[in-house]
Amino acid sequence: AVLYGLYLNYPSAGIFGWHVNDQTSTNAVLENIYIHDLRHKGIEVVGFQEGGRVVCNGFNGPIPAKDMFGEPQIIEFQERLYSDDEDEQEIYAKYEGSIISDIHIAMYYFGRDDFDNWAGIPFYGYGDKIVDWAMGKMPQYIGSNQRHDFGFYCNEDAMFHPAKGLLALKISGIDGIKMKNIRIENLQDETPIGSNLCGEITQPQHGLYHFAQQLPYQIG
């Protein structure tokens, strides 16, 4: 979700948010540095959430919503789910599936009794009802009138990291830094415009964005 030429950080990881605590690193010296020819293309994975929790696989990565619903259905269902018309007739989403989502759901279905060898903790709805829905046992589980229960979740990659783009030089949480002869050129970011499935960010009830999204860096 991000490509750095050089990243100086406080003593911690920089996976999700930037500068999320008051720790600092000290006395960095940058001299005669040439950062060049960086090319980045982020791939957004739009997930689907129930009650604020994203449906995710055994690696804690979001299951792509387009795999769950299919391209034609996802557009119609999103328009109904985010509609302000309370009188619209309710429609129910059907599981379309792909080889990717089928495999992850099957792994969970047959392996959910023993998590000792799982890399993460998957989530397939409260009470595992997303699994039942995908298997056709609960065809009316995900309805367009359940606006406060379900929604899409945008601005993350396949590892559930927030989109941050391309940065030649990022300095965060540094106390005392000296810079001399820093040269940066030829940067290219080919990331496409993000999905609009989550609605406008001024309307959080119309979908959610990554929990670590920070203004002014990311605006949905």
Side-chain angles (χ1 to χ4, degrees):
V2 62
L3 174 63
Y4 298 104
L6 178 62
Y7 183 17
L8 301 184
N9 195 32
Y10 52 85
S12 181
I15 298 174
F16 292 111
W18 280 319
H19 209 107
V20 294
N21 63 41
D22 59 357
Q23 299 297 306
T24 58
S25 297
T26 58
N27 301 328
V29 177
L30 304 182
E31 187 172 351
N32 299 325
I33 293 176
Y34 181 30
I35 300 172
H36 60 98
D37 297 305
L38 299 180
R39 183 179 179 186
H40 172 261
K41 184 177 181 179
I43 300 176
E44 181 185 27
V45 177
V46 178
F48 189 71
Q49 58 88 12
E50 178 182 355
R53 292 190 63 185
V54 178
V55 178
C56 63
N57 58 40
F59 300 97
N60 294 338
I63 300 292
K66 67 177 183 179
D67 291 343
M68 296 172 59
F69 299 102
E71 292 285 358
Q73 180 184 205
I74 199 172
I75 301 301
E76 179 186 6
F77 185 73
Q78 189 266 359
E79 290 177 351
R80 290 288 191 93
L81 185 64
Y82 291 171
S83 173
D84 293 323
D85 188 355
E86 299 290 344
D87 297 326
E88 277 190 331
Q89 183 178 359
E90 186 168 21
I91 61 174
Y92 297 96
K94 299 178 181 179
Y95 178 74
E96 181 70 24
S98 69
I99 186 64
I100 295 174
S101 59
D102 289 350
I103 288 174
H104 281 300
I105 291 174
M107 286 176 59
Y108 180 74
Y109 180 79
F110 291 107
R112 56 184 167 180
D113 292 331
D114 184 1
F115 286 99
D116 288 346
N117 296 316
W118 287 66
I121 302 177
F123 176 72
Y124 289 98
Y126 294 100
D128 297 341
K129 291 180 181 178
I130 295 292
V131 175
D132 294 332
W133 166 76
M135 296 175 66
K137 296 179 180 179
M138 302 182 69
Q140 295 186 342
Y141 183 60
I142 301 177
S144 59
N145 288 349
Q146 298 168 276
R147 296 175 176 86
H148 300 291
D149 299 323
F150 298 104
F152 296 95
Y153 203 94
C154 299
N155 204 17
E156 70 265 4
D157 64 10
M159 296 178 65
F160 203 34
H161 295 169
K164 295 179 179 177
L166 169 61
L167 295 93
L169 177 60
K170 177 72 172 73
I171 301 173
S172 182
I174 306 297
D175 184 12
I177 181 169
K178 296 180 180 179
M179 302 175 62
K180 181 180 180 181
N181 191 25
I182 309 298
R183 183 182 173 193
I184 299 172
E185 64 181 8
N186 295 334
L187 309 181
Q188 182 173 337
D189 196 312
E190 302 171 2
T191 304
I193 295 175
S195 171
N196 60 3
L197 285 174
C198 294
E200 297 180 18
I201 198 170
T202 55
Q203 299 174 319
Q205 72 273 21
H206 287 180
L208 295 173
Y209 290 80
H210 196 283
F211 66 87
Q213 180 168 294
Q214 293 171 290
L215 293 174
Y217 312 113
Q218 301 122 332
I219 58 173

